[in-house]
Amino acid sequence: MIVDSARAGIESAIELESVSRVFRARPPVTALRDLSLTLPRESVTILVGPNGAGKSTLLRILAGTIAPTVGRVSILGVPLPRRIESVRSRIGVLPGNGVALYDRLSAREYLAYIGRLRGLPRSKLTGRIAELAEQMGLSDFLDRRCGGFSTGMRQRTSLAAAVIHRPELVLLDEPTTGLDIQVRGEVLELIASLAGAGTTLIVSTHHPEEIAPFATHRVELRSGELALPEPPR
């Protein structure tokens, strides 16, 4: 389901108009091609498609880490990439290739560091870290160095860091990949709680059934283009 929020009278969180992204190579690689999309605030969007469909490229554009080759992008009413710094603190990102944690820091120290970078007042850091640690099952590991963490613990810590500043828009690239059943359930509970709090979410996943219970939209990419629903037979 894809909604034109402007026509529906809903303030949009994301607007893309004729966006393409071409990576320099021999030959050049077109990751996104003439993509137009509008999504409302407080929506939860499942982003699906085969490997190489352009999902991660789209999320990187929305996060402001790369710019489109052509086209217009607006996030939370702010045009990108020209004004990315004015909106960066309102976005939380979990990249698909994981986050490079500082192995010499404890989880508590790392989350405090990220919280300060995101502008969270020191007076609120302790409580926010404790809240996320409880949600993500990190309480017993907060004072352990990240260098000794398992893949699951690193993912939990990375996700906590992505949302520590209570962002309005959260972009998650394969948040449950490689996690065991227990950790996957904890991650999904946090995603559900974010959705319930009105956070706008875009979740790229190969397991859409995990997000479907609380999703409001589904966007499918094929070869860098928006896949339109197949007509009924």
Side-chain angles (χ1 to χ4, degrees):
M1 178 181 179
I2 301 170
V3 171
D4 186 332
S5 59
R7 293 181 181 178
I10 304 171
E11 188 176 10
S12 62
I14 293 168
E15 296 181 6
L16 290 86
E17 183 178 339
S18 302
V19 168
S20 294
R21 171 68 197 198
V22 180
F23 289 99
R24 294 182 179 179
R26 294 185 179 180
V29 176
T30 301
L32 294 176
R33 188 190 311 274
D34 196 28
L35 184 65
S36 295
L37 178 67
T38 302
L39 293 168
R41 299 194 186 216
E42 301 188 11
S43 59
V44 180
T45 300
I46 303 172
L47 180 60
V48 297
N51 291 334
K55 302 187 301 299
S56 294
T57 299
L58 174 57
L59 291 180
R60 290 173 65 192
I61 288 175
L62 296 179
T65 58
I66 62 173
T69 305
V70 295
R72 184 182 68 86
V73 180
S74 177
I75 302 297
L76 302 173
V78 176
L80 299 187
R82 181 165 49 89
R83 293 179 56 198
I84 180 58
E85 293 306 322
S86 67
V87 76
R88 195 182 296 278
S89 64
R90 299 162 67 189
I91 302 173
V93 181
L94 180 70
N97 55 359
V99 175
L101 304 180
Y102 293 99
D103 287 350
R104 293 185 179 182
L105 297 182
S106 68
R108 188 190 305 277
E109 291 169 335
Y110 177 75
L111 292 174
Y113 171 69
I114 297 299
R116 290 195 296 270
L117 282 182
R118 297 290 181 254
L120 201 65
R122 289 179 181 270
S123 60
K124 295 184 178 180
L125 269 174
T126 300
R128 181 59 174 155
I129 290 172
E131 177 186 3
L132 285 171
E134 179 66 24
Q135 286 181 313
M136 295 301 301
L138 285 169
S139 299
D140 293 338
F141 302 88
L142 274 178
D143 294 307
R144 296 188 186 181
R145 288 188 178 183
C146 296
F149 281 0
S150 64
T151 299
M153 290 303 302
R154 297 180 77 86
Q155 186 77 332
R156 293 191 220 188
T157 305
S158 297
L159 184 53
V163 301
I164 192 168
H165 55 303
R166 301 185 190 276
E168 298 171 52
L169 171 65
V170 176
L171 309 171
L172 304 175
D173 196 352
E174 299 290 345
T176 62
T177 296
L179 303 183
D180 62 36
I181 293 176
Q182 179 179 343
V183 177
R184 179 176 294 182
E186 291 166 352
V187 169
L188 291 173
E189 285 180 8
L190 179 58
I191 295 173
S193 70
L194 291 170
T199 305
T200 303
L201 290 150
I202 298 183
V203 185
S204 172
T205 179
H206 287 295
H207 303 283
E209 70 282 356
E210 296 180 334
I211 312 299
F214 43 88
T216 59
H217 299 74
R218 177 186 172 105
V219 172
E220 182 174 355
L221 296 180
R222 296 177 190 165
S223 301
E225 298 181 321
L226 196 62
L228 298 177
E230 295 182 2
R233 296 181 180 179

